[in-house]
Amino acid sequence: MSQPHRFPTIDDRLFLQSVSRALDVIEAYAAAPRPMSLGEIAEAAGINKSAAQRIGQTLLSRGYLEQTETGRLKLGRLFLDRSFDYLRSNELIERATPVLTDLRKAAEERVDLSLFDAMNDSLSIVYATRMQSKRETFYATLAGRRQPTYATSGGRACLALLSDEEVDDILSRSVMTRLTPKTETDPATVRAAIEQSRADGYCLGVEQALLGEIALAAAIRDRHGRPIGAVHIAGSLSEWNEADFRRRFAPMAMEAAGALSN
């Protein structure tokens, strides 16, 4: 289950319902990333079929949707262009790339950069850069994947930089479901992991987001000491035990995160 978003409040007089509905159509593909009929789009976006047809044709004309041979609509390749635009415009990603490249060479394991989504709701992190190791599942290689803050080493490392009141608020608004059978969903257990991260300067998670994976992350701070993202190092439990993974990679992750902090 996805985490509920809490977007910034704006003046209702400036809100465009037509634009919002078009975005609802685009976001309908998050739950079902496959070609859909107009009826399926209407149902997924919570709009009527007439609106789905008008919005669908508009997005099709601009290249943000594409049509299959059977007439269904799927996401267009222009979204890759917009993703590229975002990635190249983000200063942290630009600064992080050489640091992560060096870290990947030294670690010889997967290295990720995640962004802490404090602008919206703080309930999730988004992977912006993912540098692969020798074996990966498909989803673990893709930038743009969003994961809940409470269940990821990077998210917990970011939460460790916040006040107790902020942590309690975020955890109370989180829909704590299991990403794997091992995901910790008890708020007290997650809270204890955050406290441990405060003491250690990093957070380690075992099979929290992906079975067979051990991952360690250190938070990146802005000039006010607030979390803006995290550096992750992830390996396989078939090759590492927890103690050796901590010993080997905690100093690396903390050094890289420190180099990227303002």
Side-chain angles (χ1 to χ4, degrees):
M1 183 180 297
S2 61
Q3 302 295 303
H5 285 286
R6 185 175 67 180
F7 293 108
T9 302
I10 65 166
D11 188 333
D12 288 341
R13 295 171 298 179
L14 304 178
F15 185 83
L16 290 177
Q17 187 68 44
S18 59
V19 175
S20 180
R21 286 177 178 168
L23 293 174
D24 287 340
V25 168
I26 292 171
E27 291 177 357
Y29 285 90
R34 55 177 175 78
M36 290 192 284
S37 67
L38 289 175
E40 290 170 330
I41 291 173
E43 182 178 359
I47 57 178
N48 61 49
K49 192 171 180 179
S50 176
Q53 184 177 36
R54 293 195 302 272
I55 294 169
Q57 289 299 306
T58 302
L59 294 174
L60 184 64
S61 73
R62 295 295 301 271
Y64 287 97
L65 291 180
E66 296 174 0
Q67 198 163 37
T68 68
E69 292 181 357
T70 60
R72 290 173 175 261
L73 297 177
K74 63 180 181 179
L75 292 177
R77 279 160 282 191
L78 270 183
F79 280 105
L80 289 175
D81 296 58
R82 302 292 77 78
S83 296
F84 173 73
D85 294 338
Y86 176 80
L87 293 171
R88 68 175 177 164
S89 69
N90 187 292
E91 181 185 353
L92 176 59
I93 296 171
E94 181 179 2
R95 288 193 294 112
T97 298
V99 174
L100 296 177
T101 299
D102 290 343
L103 179 60
R104 170 66 186 84
K105 291 177 182 177
E108 297 183 327
E109 296 289 353
R110 194 184 79 232
V111 170
D112 300 329
L113 171 72
S114 68
L115 305 179
F116 183 59
D117 201 3
M119 291 298 294
N120 290 328
D121 53 25
S122 302
L123 298 184
S124 57
I125 62 169
V126 182
Y127 289 100
T129 302
R130 313 199 83 170
M131 297 185 176
Q132 302 176 32
S133 63
K134 47 266 189 189
R135 36 75 202 119
E136 295 293 350
T137 61
F138 177 54
Y139 288 141
T141 67
L142 299 178
R145 192 178 191 196
R146 184 178 293 272
Q147 293 279 49
T149 305
Y150 71 86
T152 55
S153 56
R156 292 175 181 181
C158 288
L159 291 176
L161 299 184
L162 302 179
S163 68
D164 289 341
E165 292 76 16
E166 290 173 296
V167 171
D168 290 340
D169 173 62
I170 292 168
L171 294 184
S172 70
R173 291 186 287 111
S174 297
V175 180
M176 291 196 174
T177 55
R178 296 186 188 276
L179 305 181
T180 78
K182 302 292 185 66
T183 305
E184 294 158 349
T185 57
D186 174 54
T189 302
V190 175
R191 196 73 164 78
I194 295 168
E195 290 293 339
Q196 188 63 52
S197 180
R198 284 175 175 166
D200 294 338
Y202 66 90
C203 184
L204 184 135
V206 178
E207 298 187 294
Q208 293 299 292
L210 187 66
L211 282 175
E213 181 183 80
I214 182 170
L216 183 150
I220 303 168
R221 307 167 185 251
D222 66 11
R223 64 180 182 275
H224 304 294
R226 304 283 296 179
I228 55 176
V231 173
H232 304 238
I233 302 175
S236 172
L237 287 173
S238 67
E239 298 179 358
W240 294 96
N241 62 51
E242 185 174 330
D244 288 342
F245 198 83
R246 287 181 186 272
R247 189 178 306 111
R248 170 69 172 156
F249 297 119
M252 290 185 180
M254 288 190 290
E255 182 180 2
L260 295 172
S261 296
N262 291 320

